[in-house]
Amino acid sequence: MDRMKCILVCLVACFFTLQLCVADPIFYESFDESFEGRWIVSEKDDYEGVWKHAKSEGHDDYGLLVSEKAKKYAIVKELDEAVSLKDGTIVLQFETRLQNGLECGGAYLKYLRPQAAGWIAKEFNNDSPYAIMFGPDKCGSTNKVHFILKHKNPKTGEYVEHHLKFPPSVPVDKLSHVYTAIIKPDNDLAILIDGEEKKTANFLKGDDFEPPLIPAKTIPDPDDKKPEDWDERAKIPDPAAVKPDDWDEDAPMEIEDEEAEKPEGWLDDEPEEIDDPEASKPEDWDDEEDGEWEAPKTDNPKCADAPGCGEWKKPMKSNPAYKGKWHAPLIENPNYKGIWKPQEIPNPDYFELEKPDFEPVAAVGIEIWTMQDGILFDNILIATDEKVAEEYRQKTWKPKFDVEKEKQKAEEAAAGDSDGNLSEFQKKIFEVLYKFANLPFLADYKLKIYNIIEKGEKQPNITIGIVVSVALVMLTIFYRILFGGKKAVAKATPEVRPAAGAAKPVNNEGSSSGEKEGDKENESEDAAAPRRRATRREN
């Protein structure tokens, strides 16, 4: 009996030992200890931002902190052994907390492929080749959780960046969030935020990545030219139509209303504005330098109760005889051939894939440019089991998030709805609006819609107005799509970035990136010019 007990104890011990071995991640960084000596800070000149080993606000848990605003940062950790992404499931996971928000900056990780011979970690920079870039980025019209795969074209040998299309948006609060990317052996990809699946895709589907990993089988023939007699006009002016004899193109749109009469009590001799009787010439006014001083104007109080002041003129009304320029009515074009397109030919660069040719991951790096400080990275994990990632989320992220969430709720309840905080309902509304803004047919209007949404995030009391504004923009676009008309393209502020997807400051609504030279020159000119004569009332 004792022998059987001994065997059972050994079996149980072996089982738990096996489970522990299976549950071990490939790589894990908790930042419980200082990163110095283990992570290498880039010594390249551009990267002046100072990394700090610091506690997450309100917790005893440490992380890797972006400590200064408007700086470039780069730090890297080489793995003991390169991780293959080709066999089985691979989970990439890490936490970030935007303790001071994120107006313009990146908070993503780069998973570096093996570097060229002679490369050293302290030279890590934007040009260091990576296999995958993953994580949040928000600046200007960009608001997304990036997933970018650098894949080698088997025909050309060139590496191409393939961006996940329609990625999820970045949470707008200052709480801890955990980002998870699950690469599966069936070529599927899942993106999770706080353990909730936000996006799924397939690496080999043409609609999920831009550009697609597998090129199109055919392409437009670059040598095919549109014939000179090709007519693309669906409708044409009726050549048989004749302008009617009674059509007066010169008739004005408006005419005087001859039946109108001057209202009783109209003050013909009173001006609408008079010199402000309370105004006085400033003591420092110099007639030679500033010119003759004239009192500013103010509304004539005698006109307040009268129907009007000054010279009365008959009002204008619509001219019933107005027709405008005559145009021949449109008819179906008998020579219409449709919109011309070049013929398709086999794509010489086409190839087929059964699986992506993933590069192994040899190092984990953070290379960003951000206008915000207070970004905290923590609990970076690479694992082969989704359950392991879930266990780490429950152990390292969930307790912190719950505490932060309760504190946020208490602050919102104490401050009320007018203190500038977003309620949970409002956050969900803005998340939906961000998703709408990312729809393909709204691409030309994306920046305009983002600007409206961002105003709502800063002023929660106008949420309903923001929803109405976005709805009006979308209705206008639908109208133009359905009924035609010239499309007014929203002009986006260009984003100049040092790295693929890396956030750079954009001079957008009071940007802290500095004044433009032209603005400074204008200010100098204004300062040197003599003071303007105060001849009219300042509005």
Side-chain angles (χ1 to χ4, degrees):
M1 191 68 179
D2 290 339
R3 184 178 178 185
M4 287 297 295
K5 286 182 179 180
C6 183
I7 292 173
L8 285 173
V9 169
C10 289
L11 288 172
V12 171
C14 290
F15 174 77
F16 280 107
T17 302
L18 180 62
Q19 289 291 78
L20 288 172
C21 291
V22 170
D24 283 344
I26 299 173
F27 171 77
Y28 177 61
E29 174 59 79
S30 66
F31 293 108
D32 289 340
E33 304 295 332
S34 174
F35 62 88
E36 295 180 1
R38 298 183 300 108
W39 287 70
I40 306 301
V41 177
S42 176
E43 295 182 4
K44 289 288 187 178
D45 293 339
D46 289 346
Y47 301 97
E48 299 176 346
V50 177
W51 295 99
K52 289 188 177 180
H53 183 238
K55 289 183 179 180
S56 179
E57 185 178 333
H59 305 289
D60 289 329
D61 184 50
Y62 281 88
L64 180 65
L65 179 69
V66 170
S67 66
E68 298 176 295
K69 297 180 179 180
K71 298 284 186 180
K72 291 179 73 174
Y73 291 80
I75 191 169
V76 66
K77 166 69 175 176
E78 292 186 276
L79 305 184
D80 295 334
E81 186 176 340
V83 177
S84 173
L85 304 181
K86 294 182 179 181
D87 302 319
T89 297
I90 289 291
V91 184
L92 309 175
Q93 181 169 285
F94 68 99
E95 296 175 25
T96 61
R97 187 180 183 190
L98 311 173
Q99 297 178 122
N100 296 326
L102 188 63
E103 289 296 322
C104 184
Y108 42 77
L109 268 57
K110 289 184 174 181
Y111 298 87
L112 306 187
R113 67 175 189 256
Q115 307 295 294
W119 182 84
I120 53 177
K122 64 182 179 181
E123 294 180 349
F124 172 51
N125 65 2
N126 170 53
D127 297 325
S128 301
Y130 63 85
I132 290 173
M133 192 177 102
F134 171 53
D137 184 17
K138 185 175 184 290
C139 192
S141 62
T142 296
N143 184 324
K144 64 179 71 175
V145 178
H146 283 292
F147 186 94
I148 304 173
L149 170 67
K150 270 201 172 181
H151 189 263
K152 188 176 182 180
N153 185 307
K155 279 204 167 184
T156 65
E158 296 180 353
Y159 284 92
V160 179
E161 286 186 0
H162 300 276
H163 294 244
L164 177 66
K165 294 172 69 173
F166 314 122
S169 300
V170 180
V172 297
D173 55 43
K174 300 178 182 180
L175 309 179
S176 296
H177 293 285
V178 56
Y179 298 89
T180 310
I182 305 172
I183 301 171
K184 302 180 181 181
D186 59 359
N187 301 325
D188 281 347
L189 169 70
I191 304 295
L192 283 62
I193 301 179
D194 298 343
E196 181 182 349
E197 189 176 272
K198 296 291 186 179
K199 174 72 177 181
T200 59
N202 186 283
F203 287 104
L204 302 187
K205 283 186 177 179
D207 295 335
D208 287 347
F209 282 84
E210 180 61 39
L213 269 70
I214 300 177
K217 285 186 177 182
T218 62
I219 59 171
D221 184 354
D223 297 323
D224 194 12
K225 305 297 181 184
K226 181 171 71 172
E228 293 182 1
D229 62 347
W230 191 280
D231 196 338
E232 294 182 335
R233 299 172 300 165
K235 292 189 175 185
I236 59 172
D238 185 355
V242 178
K243 183 175 72 172
D245 293 335
D246 62 347
W247 191 289
D248 185 0
E249 292 186 330
D250 298 324
M253 185 180 294
E254 290 185 329
I255 58 174
E256 277 191 356
D257 185 357
E258 297 297 338
E259 298 179 358
E261 295 181 358
K262 182 169 66 175
E264 186 177 348
W266 188 279
L267 305 178
D268 297 84
D269 300 327
E270 289 290 339
E272 292 182 2
E273 291 184 330
I274 60 173
D275 290 345
D276 187 349
E278 297 181 3
S280 60
K281 181 178 177 180
E283 294 180 1
D284 62 344
W285 188 276
D286 188 326
D287 289 339
E288 292 184 2
E289 180 182 344
D290 301 326
E292 181 183 354
W293 182 82
E294 295 179 13
K297 297 292 183 178
T298 186
D299 292 336
N300 187 346
K302 295 180 180 179
C303 300
D305 298 326
C309 289
E311 181 184 0
W312 180 82
K313 293 182 180 180
K314 290 182 181 293
M316 304 296 287
K317 68 175 185 177
S318 297
N319 182 3
Y322 173 75
K323 294 184 178 181
K325 292 294 181 182
W326 180 83
H327 297 281
L330 297 178
I331 62 171
E332 299 292 333
N333 182 2
N335 298 318
Y336 176 65
K337 296 184 178 180
I339 303 300
W340 182 85
K341 293 181 181 179
Q343 64 178 348
E344 295 285 317
I345 61 172
N347 184 358
D349 296 328
Y350 174 74
F351 58 84
E352 294 185 359
L353 282 178
E354 291 186 3
K355 293 184 70 66
D357 187 16
F358 293 112
E359 295 286 340
V361 174
V364 178
I366 306 172
E367 190 271 321
I368 57 175
W369 185 341
T370 177
M371 293 300 293
Q372 266 67 51
D373 58 354
I375 300 175
L376 193 78
F377 294 88
D378 201 3
N379 297 311
I380 301 172
L381 172 76
I382 302 177
T384 57
D385 191 338
E386 296 178 47
K387 293 181 180 178
V388 172
E390 170 63 20
E391 289 174 3
Y392 274 83
R393 286 197 298 270
Q394 294 298 323
K395 177 182 176 182
T396 64
W397 164 76
K398 192 66 163 60
K400 291 184 293 187
F401 180 80
D402 289 343
V403 169
E404 294 161 11
K405 196 69 174 176
E406 288 303 315
K407 181 180 179 183
Q408 183 188 59
K409 288 181 180 179
E411 290 174 348
E412 288 178 353
D417 294 333
S418 61
D419 66 346
N421 289 327
L422 295 173
S423 68
E424 284 302 309
F425 177 68
Q426 288 170 318
K427 288 175 185 175
K428 290 187 181 297
I429 290 177
F430 290 128
E431 284 181 9
V432 171
L433 292 178
Y434 273 121
K435 289 179 180 178
F436 272 121
N438 280 317
L439 292 174
F441 70 90
L442 295 176
D444 290 337
Y445 305 87
K446 184 175 180 180
L447 181 59
K448 180 184 291 186
I449 297 174
Y450 268 138
N451 288 338
I452 294 173
I453 298 172
E454 287 173 357
K455 287 179 182 177
E457 290 174 348
K458 295 174 183 177
Q459 303 178 61
N461 57 316
I462 62 171
T463 299
I464 294 176
I466 295 298
V467 173
V468 172
S469 298
V470 173
L472 287 173
V473 171
M474 294 185 68
L475 284 173
T476 302
I477 296 166
F478 282 133
Y479 179 84
R480 285 174 176 160
I481 291 173
L482 291 174
F483 300 104
K486 187 175 180 180
K487 182 168 65 174
V489 179
K491 186 175 181 182
T493 304
E495 295 178 48
V496 181
R497 298 184 172 226
K504 260 196 175 183
V506 174
N507 192 10
N508 186 23
E509 291 189 5
S511 169
S512 60
S513 59
E515 299 172 340
K516 296 180 180 178
E517 291 299 323
D519 296 336
K520 294 180 181 178
E521 291 174 4
N522 292 337
E523 288 179 7
S524 299
E525 292 174 2
D526 292 342
R531 277 181 291 176
R532 175 179 59 83
R533 291 176 63 187
T535 59
R536 299 290 293 171
R537 178 163 53 93
E538 300 280 344
N539 288 323

